[in-house]
C-alpha cells in the first residue's frame, strides 16, 4: 500500500484554519459540553493550549478546557457597550430580575447536599428560599414564574442541567414534575466571579485580572464583541492604538478570529464575512429587521447627510443624523402600510410595538441612539445603503420597495474614508 504524505505547509495551514475555527466556536458559544456539542468540543480540546494562550494574550479572556466541557470566561463589557441581554428563542430578553434569578439558580445547585439529580420543584423551592434569605422579592405570579423558567432554561441550554424525566416546559405549563441532572464539573465555572457585592458594571470591572485594561487588549475586545466601535466613545489611548497599529490589528483579527477590520473616520468594525459569529443577523429576514433597514434608508433620504455630518443637540461632537420622533413614526407608518402583505400582522396592527423593536435592534447594533427629541442615526448605517443601478434582488422585488436608482445589495464600493460616501 502506498502512503501519501501531506506537504508540511499544507499541514500548518490546516492547523491554523482549525485553530481559528475553534476560537470562533468559543466566541459564539462560550459554554460547550460533550453532551450537546461533541464535535465542537473535540476541535477545541485539540487546540486547547494554543487557544488558552491566544485568548489570554489578545483579549485577557480565561479559557477552561476539561474532558466534558469548555468554558470561555470573558471580561465584563465596557459600560458604553450596547445592551444585548440574553434572549432564548421568542421569549422576552432577560431583565435584571431574570439575571438575579439565574444567579440564585446557580447558588441553589451549589447548595451542600445537592445530588447529581433533583426534582424541578425542589430546585424552585430552593431558589425561593435563597431569594427570601437574600432579600430578593420573588412573588408567585405568572410573570415571575416565566422569568424563573427562563433562568433555569438557560442552564439547560448551556448544558449545566439536562432534562432526564419530564421537562421544564411541562412543569411551567401544567406543573408536571420533572427530573434534572446536574453537570457538576461545569457548574462552578458558570459564574466565574463572586457577585455578592456587585451592583454595576463598574463593580465587575474592579475585579478584572491584571492587564485586562491595557488599551491594546481592551480595543481588541471592543472590535471582537461589538458590532461597531464609535471613535468618539474611545478613550484616548485606545484611539491612539487604532490609528498607529491599524495594520497589526488587521492581521491579528483576521489570523486568529477570521474577522476583517474596517476603519472609517467615525469609527471601526470587525466584520465576519461568513456571518456565523454574530447573534443578531442584520440585514436579515423578519419584519423588524426589514423595517429597520428600510427605515434607515428612508431617514437618510430625508436628511441627505454628507461625510462629516454631526447630529445637533447631542451635547457632544457626535457624527450622525437626528430625526424627530414624529418623522420616525410617520416613515414607519408609511413603510408598514406599503408592506402590509409581507410583514407580520401583529406589527402592522401595532405601530408602537414595531417602532420600539426597530429602535431596540438599531441600538443593539450601535447604529442608532435614542434621545428625548428624536433618533440619532449613526453614520455607519450608510454601510447598509443599497447600491445604485444594480438589478433588484428577488427579496427586494417581493417587498415591492425597489426604485430604479436604489436597488440591489450593500456594497463597500460606496464608501470612502467616511461611512458616509458620495452615494448619499
Amino acid at each position: 500500500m502506498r502512503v501519501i504524505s501531506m506537504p508540511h505547509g499544507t499541514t500548518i495551514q490546516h492547523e491554523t484554519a482549525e485553530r481559528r475555527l475553534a476560537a470562533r466556536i468559543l466566541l459564539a458559544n462560550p459554554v460547550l459540553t460533550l453532551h450537546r456539542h461533541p464535535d465542537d468540543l473535540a476541535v477545541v480540546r485539540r487546540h486547547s493550549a494554543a487557544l488558552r494562550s491566544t485568548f489570554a494574550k489578545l483579549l485577557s479572556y480565561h479559557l477552561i478546557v476539561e474532558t466534558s466541557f469548555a468554558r470561555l470566561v470573558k471580561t465584563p463589557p465596557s459600560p458604553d457597550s450596547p445592551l444585548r441581554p440574553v434572549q432564548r428563542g421568542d421569549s422576552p430578553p432577560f431583565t435584571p430580575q431574570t439575571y438575579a434569578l439565574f444567579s440564585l439558580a446557580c447558588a441553589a445547585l451549589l447548595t451542600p447536599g445537592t445530588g447529581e439529580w433533583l426534582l424541578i420543584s425542589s430546585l424552585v423551592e430552593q431558589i425561593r428560599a435563597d431569594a427570601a434569605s437574600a432579600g430578593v422579592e420573588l412573588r408567585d405570579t405568572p410573570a415571575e414564574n416565566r422569568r424563573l423558567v427562563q433562568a433555569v432554561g438557560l442552564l439547560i441550554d448551556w448544558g449545566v442541567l439536562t432534562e432526564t424525566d419530564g421537562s421544564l416546559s411541562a412543569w411551567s405549563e401544567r406543573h408536571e414534575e420533572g427530573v434534572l441532572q446536574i453537570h457538576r464539573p461545569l457548574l462552578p465555572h458558570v459564574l466565574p466571579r463572586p457577585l455578592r457585592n456587585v451592583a454595576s458594571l463598574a463593580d465587575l470591572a474592579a475585579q478584572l485580572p491584571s492587564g485586562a485594561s491595557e488599551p491594546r487588549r481592551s480595543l481588541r475586545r471592543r472590535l471582537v464583541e461589538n458590532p461597531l466601535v464609535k471613535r468618539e466613545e474611545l478613550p484616548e489611548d485606545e484611539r491612539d492604538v487604532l490609528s498607529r497599529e491599524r495594520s497589526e490589528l488587521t492581521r491579528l483579527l483576521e489570523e486568529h478570529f477570521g474577522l476583517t477590520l474596517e476603519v472609517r473616520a467615525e469609527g471601526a468594525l470587525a466584520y465576519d464575512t461568513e456571518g456565523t459569529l454574530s447573534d443578531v443577523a442584520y440585514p436579515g429576514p423578519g419584519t423588524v429587521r426589514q423595517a429597520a433597514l428600510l427605515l434607515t434608508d428612508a431617514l437618510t433620504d430625508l436628511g441627505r447627510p454628507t461625510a462629516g455630518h454631526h447630529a445637533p443637540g447631542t451635547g457632544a461632537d457626535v457624527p450622525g443624523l437626528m430625526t424627530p420622533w414624529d418623522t420616525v413614526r410617520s416613515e414607519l407608518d408609511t413603510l408598514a402600510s406599503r408592506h402590509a402583505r409581507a410583514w407580520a400582522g401583529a406589527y402592522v396592527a401595532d405601530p408602537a410595538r414595531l417602532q420600539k423593536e426597530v429602535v431596540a435592534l438599531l441600538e443593539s447594533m450601535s447604529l442608532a441612539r435614542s434621545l428625548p427629541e428624536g433618533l440619532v442615526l449613526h453614520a455607519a448605517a450608510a454601510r447598509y445603503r443599497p447600491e445604485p443601478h444594480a438589478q433588484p434582488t428577488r427579496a427586494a422585488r417581493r417587498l415591492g420597495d425597489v426604485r430604479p436608482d436604489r436597488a440591489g445589495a450593500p456594497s463597500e464600493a460606496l464608501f470612502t474614508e467616511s461611512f458616509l460616501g458620495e452615494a448619499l
Side-chain angles (χ1 to χ4, degrees):
M1 182 177 71
R2 188 194 315 180
V3 177
I4 301 177
S5 61
M6 183 179 291
H8 180 62
T10 304
T11 304
I12 293 177
Q13 291 171 1
H14 173 77
E15 288 288 307
T16 301
E18 192 174 70
R19 189 165 59 247
R20 180 167 54 237
L21 172 63
R24 289 167 59 86
I25 289 170
L26 286 165
L27 286 175
N29 300 283
V31 180
L32 301 174
T33 63
L34 182 62
H35 175 68
R36 298 178 68 88
H37 317 90
D39 295 336
D40 290 343
L41 182 60
V43 175
V44 168
R45 290 190 64 201
R46 269 199 300 274
H47 299 276
S48 59
L51 290 169
R52 285 193 191 96
S53 175
T54 294
F55 280 116
K57 180 179 178 182
L58 297 185
L59 305 176
S60 285
Y61 288 175
H62 177 49
L63 176 61
I64 304 162
V65 181
E66 301 290 349
T67 304
S68 60
F69 75 93
R71 170 74 163 107
L72 180 63
V73 181
K74 301 182 179 184
T75 60
S78 59
D80 57 0
S81 295
L83 294 176
R84 292 194 295 275
V86 172
Q87 186 165 6
R88 299 182 61 243
D90 296 329
S91 300
F94 270 38
T95 64
Q97 293 87 348
T98 318
Y99 281 112
L101 292 174
F102 178 80
S103 300
L104 286 169
C106 292
L109 294 172
L110 288 167
T111 301
T114 303
E116 186 178 353
W117 289 273
L118 80 165
L119 297 173
I120 295 177
S121 59
S122 298
L123 174 59
V124 172
E125 183 179 343
Q126 184 65 54
I127 292 173
R128 293 188 183 281
D130 290 344
S133 299
V136 176
E137 185 178 4
L138 180 55
R139 295 169 294 176
D140 189 8
T141 65
E144 291 283 11
N145 288 335
R146 281 193 294 270
R147 279 194 282 266
L148 184 57
V149 167
Q150 279 187 280
V152 176
L154 182 59
L155 290 170
I156 293 174
D157 293 345
W158 283 1
V160 180
L161 296 173
T162 302
E163 298 164 310
T164 61
D165 184 12
S167 67
L168 183 64
S169 60
W171 178 88
S172 65
E173 294 168 5
R174 299 179 296 277
H175 285 278
E176 295 179 5
E177 191 58 272
V179 179
L180 300 172
Q181 182 180 11
I182 304 173
H183 190 314
R184 188 64 60 183
L186 171 59
L187 180 58
H189 303 289
V190 175
L191 297 178
R193 298 178 184 87
L195 302 179
R196 184 177 298 106
N197 299 315
V198 172
S200 67
L201 278 176
D203 295 334
L204 273 179
Q207 301 179 13
L208 291 179
S210 175
S213 60
E214 195 272 336
R216 289 180 178 83
R217 291 190 178 98
S218 56
L219 177 60
R220 293 183 202 121
R221 286 199 302 272
R222 289 180 191 267
L223 290 166
V224 167
E225 298 290 353
N226 294 339
L228 170 68
V229 174
K230 300 176 183 179
R231 192 179 292 271
E232 74 271 10
E233 294 180 353
L234 284 177
E236 186 175 348
D237 52 1
E238 292 183 27
R239 199 179 303 134
D240 185 62
V241 172
L242 181 63
S243 299
R244 292 176 179 273
E245 302 181 20
R246 178 172 169 178
S247 297
E248 179 67 1
L249 266 174
T250 301
R251 183 188 69 80
L252 290 174
L253 293 174
E254 195 286 325
E255 178 181 332
H256 294 284
F257 308 116
L259 297 172
T260 301
L261 181 64
E262 179 178 342
V263 180
R264 295 291 183 262
E266 301 89 355
L269 55 87
Y271 64 90
D272 174 27
T273 55
E274 296 181 20
T276 58
L277 272 186
S278 178
D279 54 347
V280 178
Y282 184 79
T287 297
V288 174
R289 292 182 181 89
Q290 291 175 3
L293 186 65
L294 294 176
L295 177 65
T296 57
D297 190 36
L299 296 184
T300 307
D301 270 346
L302 287 174
R304 307 297 296 176
T306 57
H309 188 95
H310 287 75
T314 55
D317 194 29
V318 176
L321 172 68
M322 168 76 80
T323 304
W325 286 117
D326 286 346
T327 304
V328 173
R329 281 190 288 271
S330 175
E331 290 298 317
L332 265 179
D333 287 346
T334 299
L335 290 170
S337 176
R338 185 182 303 162
H339 304 297
R341 286 187 172 184
W343 288 1
Y347 289 107
V348 175
D350 190 349
R353 177 187 173 189
L354 178 61
Q355 177 176 310
K356 179 181 178 181
E357 295 194 22
V358 163
V359 171
L361 172 63
L362 292 173
E363 288 186 319
S364 76
M365 300 293 294
S366 297
L367 296 177
R369 175 183 172 191
S370 294
L371 294 177
E373 57 267 37
L375 184 69
V376 177
L377 197 64
H378 193 272
R383 284 194 95 252
Y384 305 100
R385 293 275 281 176
E387 181 181 5
H389 310 305
Q391 288 298 314
T393 63
R394 188 180 306 170
R397 285 196 298 270
R398 188 165 60 247
L399 280 172
D401 193 51
V402 176
R403 289 164 281 173
D405 62 330
R406 300 304 310 282
S411 168
E412 286 188 70
L414 291 179
F415 311 120
T416 60
E417 281 304 304
S418 168
F419 285 117
L420 291 162
E422 295 179 356
L424 305 186

